[in-house]
Amino acid sequence: IVPAGEGSRDGVSKWASSDGRAEWSVNDRERVKRGLPPVDEWRRRHEPCATTPAIVAQVIDVHGLSPYVAGSALGALREPLLARDRAASPTAAFLAAQDAAPRPWAWVGDAEREALRRAVDRARATVEPRRCKSGACAWCGVATSIGWRSSPEKWSDRTPAPLCRACAVVWDRRSQPLDRDGLRAAALEALSGANGMGSDGLGIRAYADVAGEDHNGTATPWAYAPDALAEVAERARMTWPGSLASGLRDEYLEKVSAAKREAWAALAAERTAAEQARLQAEAHAAREAGWPV
């Protein structure tokens, strides 16, 4: 019950039921006769209930949620906890309000509180990176992700190894290969952005290949062997530059063109040097034979 003089009092909504308002007016008069504070027709808002995170914190004692997570969780409940201008559960609310000092959200039962906890967990999973019980990502080795997927990958002890959301997107795009070459080619694409169109992954060793018994992973993706991964990523981008996203495609197409120009220039220089050496050898042979040069 919001104490007199606290919180804010809303006006009467045009959607409010006249029967409901009359019912709570009678209830309020009876409460006042008994020396209890009025419910005030469910129009007074308590300051601790001014935000969705505050509501969730009061109902299930979970604090620090963002407004998005708290609002999503409350909105996902099949039976609403709150409704404007009337109690969400009128009978339970009426009984709870008879207490001289009712605790906040007293009419919300254990089943509803558990449903809210589950809804919070689901909402948090869409925006907050979390660990997977099966370990880190089998490819990039990242320890936390917003969403996890099961995969054909295995740890060294043959237990299932999951994929983080980012790596799973590439696996799906490659039509979810199951063979080792297909999996390593997909892992290479997840690392480099380059699609090898049937390659064996250029010898890449994913996290599941090197993790051993430690499945804890790393704080950032592809951090378990930075030098080797940087080298294989560069090879992939130079080999298939046209498959890269627009941000990298132009850069690597130019790199490949520059490398080809350098290779042609080196080959031309080599041919020129070889021709000069041949001419010098012929001239030397002619002088040795006594021919005029």
Side-chain angles (χ1 to χ4, degrees):
I1 305 299
V2 182
E6 293 186 14
S8 57
R9 191 174 189 273
D10 296 334
V12 177
S13 169
K14 64 180 179 180
W15 305 111
S17 163
S18 57
D19 291 341
R21 290 180 56 210
E23 175 186 343
W24 283 105
S25 294
V26 172
N27 181 56
D28 277 350
R29 286 196 295 270
E30 291 299 318
R31 288 178 59 81
V32 171
K33 288 179 182 179
R34 296 166 56 187
L36 301 177
V39 174
D40 203 11
E41 299 181 24
W42 298 95
R43 287 191 289 158
R44 187 173 294 281
R45 185 170 58 249
H46 198 201
E47 288 307 323
C49 298
T51 66
T52 51
I55 292 173
V56 173
Q58 291 181 81
V59 177
I60 60 174
D61 197 27
V62 175
H63 301 265
L65 297 180
S66 69
Y68 171 82
V69 169
S72 296
L74 288 169
L77 296 178
R78 300 178 70 176
E79 296 294 335
L81 296 187
L82 60 153
R84 187 155 186 182
D85 301 310
R86 63 185 296 273
S89 302
T91 301
F94 179 84
L95 294 175
Q98 305 313 303
D99 192 334
R103 64 188 179 90
W105 304 93
W107 67 86
V108 181
D110 292 341
E112 289 87 352
R113 293 174 194 269
E114 183 59 30
L116 180 57
R117 288 189 183 92
R118 292 195 299 269
V120 167
D121 285 341
R122 289 193 298 270
R124 291 180 67 178
T126 65
V127 295
E128 298 178 7
R130 293 187 169 189
R131 298 188 69 89
C132 176
K133 64 181 180 180
S134 299
C137 178
W139 289 357
C140 73
V142 73
T144 59
S145 171
I146 300 176
W148 291 93
R149 288 275 299 282
S150 57
S151 80
E153 298 285 5
K154 303 288 184 184
W155 298 116
S156 59
D157 59 6
R158 307 311 299 163
T159 57
L163 292 178
C164 70
R165 186 173 69 171
C167 288
V169 167
V170 180
W171 185 51
D172 289 342
R173 190 163 62 235
R174 279 186 165 264
S175 301
Q176 300 182 350
L178 302 177
D179 62 291
R180 182 171 177 79
D181 283 353
L183 288 168
R184 290 300 163 266
L188 178 64
E189 182 176 346
L191 165 67
S192 66
N195 185 337
M197 297 295 290
S199 78
D200 61 359
L202 300 182
I204 186 175
R205 291 177 63 77
Y207 181 68
D209 298 324
V210 303
E213 296 181 358
D214 180 10
H215 308 164
N216 290 327
T218 56
T220 57
W222 307 106
Y224 59 90
D227 293 339
L229 291 170
E231 180 180 346
V232 74
E234 187 70 7
R235 285 175 55 202
R237 291 166 181 168
M238 292 295 289
T239 304
W240 304 291
S243 68
L244 295 170
S246 57
L248 286 175
R249 185 186 305 127
D250 293 344
E251 175 187 346
Y252 275 88
L253 286 173
E254 176 55 33
K255 278 189 175 183
V256 170
S257 296
K260 287 180 178 179
R261 290 193 297 269
E262 291 178 4
W264 279 110
L267 179 60
E270 182 180 343
R271 288 177 176 175
T272 299
E275 179 65 15
Q276 289 177 348
R278 184 186 66 79
L279 292 175
Q280 289 175 0
E282 287 183 357
H284 176 72
R287 285 194 297 270
E288 289 294 318
W291 294 97
V293 177

